[in-house]
Amino acid sequence: MLIVGERINTSRKVKGEPIIEKAVCARDADFVIKLAKDQVEAGATYIDLNCGTLREDEPESLEWLTKTVQAAVDAPLTFDSPNPAAIERALAVYDHTKGQPMINSITAETDRYKNILPLVQKYQTKVIALSMDDTGIQADAEKRLTVARDLVKRLTDDQVPLDAIYVDPLTFPIGTGTEVGVAMLEIISRIMTEYPGVHTIAGISNVSHGMPARKFLNEAMTLLSMDRGMDAAIIDPMDRYLMALIAAAEALLGRDEFSMNYITLSRAGKFDGL
Ligand code: THG
């Protein structure tokens, strides 16, 4: 399972305080390095960088984040931005010896597709494909599926390998409709069956937005999505219980040979106290 650690995001607030945004604005390298190291230690395979709240300072800040995080950890990075100028600045300084970078994300919107695709090609990145187009995000599962299929086709036609594509079905809050969870699971399932070799990914925590006891919804949605074939997730890897459940599900779904990873994590004390 590819785990994208979501904690370096300037829109994240802790007890109402935008502490990440403050740290990035102040160029507090120690703060950012700790966020990155903690996530890698917790099992993140990619570290997401999102400083979209900084607006005109986003490109320079994303470049700084890239250099700062790469100097401290070996995990590859995910550039979480709709802004091609910011992504390109980050990619230009990216150390490719740390693994293939990922762009988060491309969509079927005319301008976004046109501006992001050349970066995917030039820097040979992985790319998250969000199922939205010029009409916006459709609530209807069939419509989102059509957009997702269209994106996979366009990307492969443009020489992006299936293995580099991570389709994101887009996570709606369960409070917005009874069928929201089912729709997401259906999109994951269909994409994974129709395009063998492609990947699916989701920013899971949005499913619980506005709900009480959010963690159970996030945990259940992660496991249900994995059962439908989802093989990557954007989550908080510091949630040890969620990480333990993911490892257990990997073993039970036959994605962990002889459960060796599960056993290794257990021996390393990753489940202690849970
Ligand atoms: N798909 C893709 N990219 C994404 C998302 C997605 N990037 C952004 C987001 N969704 C995933 N990243 C975050 C980062 C921070 C938070 C949630 C998702 C966050 N969550 C809690 C909240 O909502 O209140 C706060 C919990 C905490 O203390 O960390 O801040 O769907 N491709």
Side-chain angles (χ1 to χ4, degrees):
M1 184 85 167
L2 190 149
I3 304 287
V4 179
E6 72 186 14
R7 289 172 76 92
I8 304 183
N9 185 322
T10 54
S11 71
R12 233 183 95 221
K13 293 190 172 83
V14 176
K15 296 195 184 90
E17 279 291 300
I19 57 167
I20 321 278
E21 184 176 87
K22 280 186 187 160
V24 174
C25 286
R27 298 290 186 257
D28 184 346
D30 290 345
F31 186 94
V32 165
I33 286 169
K34 179 163 168 40
L35 276 176
K37 280 190 171 164
D38 284 350
Q39 292 187 93
V40 171
E41 169 70 16
T45 37
Y46 268 79
I47 300 295
D48 192 76
L49 302 182
N50 182 323
C51 56
T53 62
L54 302 183
R55 298 174 181 279
E56 59 272 18
D57 290 331
E58 186 193 6
E60 192 184 333
S61 300
L62 198 63
E63 178 185 321
W64 176 78
L65 276 171
T66 301
K67 288 183 182 159
T68 305
V69 171
Q70 286 208 296
V73 301
D74 287 333
L77 304 179
T78 303
F79 301 115
D80 191 352
S81 170
N83 179 351
I87 298 170
E88 172 124 54
R89 261 186 88 161
L91 284 168
V93 298
Y94 185 83
D95 174 1
H96 285 259
T97 65
K98 308 246 173 179
Q100 198 177 6
M102 188 187 289
I103 294 177
N104 181 11
S105 50
I106 201 163
T107 68
E109 294 163 290
T110 310
D111 286 347
R112 183 126 162 215
Y113 190 88
K114 193 176 69 201
N115 294 326
I116 302 284
L117 177 72
L119 299 174
V120 177
Q121 294 170 325
K122 178 176 174 190
Y123 295 95
Q124 298 281 299
T125 73
K126 294 176 189 271
V127 65
I128 296 178
L130 293 187
S131 51
M132 61 185 287
D133 62 12
D134 289 323
T135 65
I137 300 173
Q138 302 300 323
D140 181 72
E142 279 303 323
K143 288 185 185 152
R144 285 221 304 294
L145 190 57
T146 303
V147 176
R149 285 192 187 110
D150 183 52
L151 261 174
V152 173
K153 180 166 189 325
R154 281 174 73 182
L155 286 166
T156 48
D157 285 351
D158 286 323
Q159 318 308 326
V160 179
L162 263 187
D163 181 46
I165 303 171
Y166 289 73
V167 176
D168 185 331
L170 289 164
T171 311
F172 282 53
I174 190 62
T176 64
T178 307
E179 307 296 329
V180 153
V182 181
M184 178 169 157
L185 294 170
E186 184 65 14
I187 297 169
I188 292 170
S189 183
R190 300 268 287 275
I191 291 292
M192 292 308 264
T193 342
E194 290 173 21
Y195 304 95
V198 83
H199 303 279
T200 39
I201 189 166
I204 295 285
S205 67
N206 207 35
V207 80
S208 63
H209 195 79
M211 290 292 282
R214 293 183 64 176
K215 66 196 289 296
F216 302 114
L217 291 163
N218 295 343
E219 286 156 1
M221 197 67 209
T222 304
L223 302 189
L224 290 166
S225 302
M226 287 174 72
D227 183 49
R228 300 296 190 97
M230 186 183 77
D231 55 0
I234 306 168
I235 55 167
D236 179 1
M238 304 292 284
D239 182 341
R240 295 179 65 226
Y241 192 78
L242 176 59
M243 292 297 279
L245 284 175
I246 289 173
E250 289 259 274
L252 297 168
L253 290 167
R255 301 186 204 165
D256 178 8
E257 205 168 353
F258 299 114
S259 304
M260 277 314 293
N261 185 53
Y262 188 78
I263 294 166
T264 305
L265 291 172
S266 176
R267 286 190 180 142
K270 297 286 185 187
F271 308 148
D272 289 3
L274 292 178

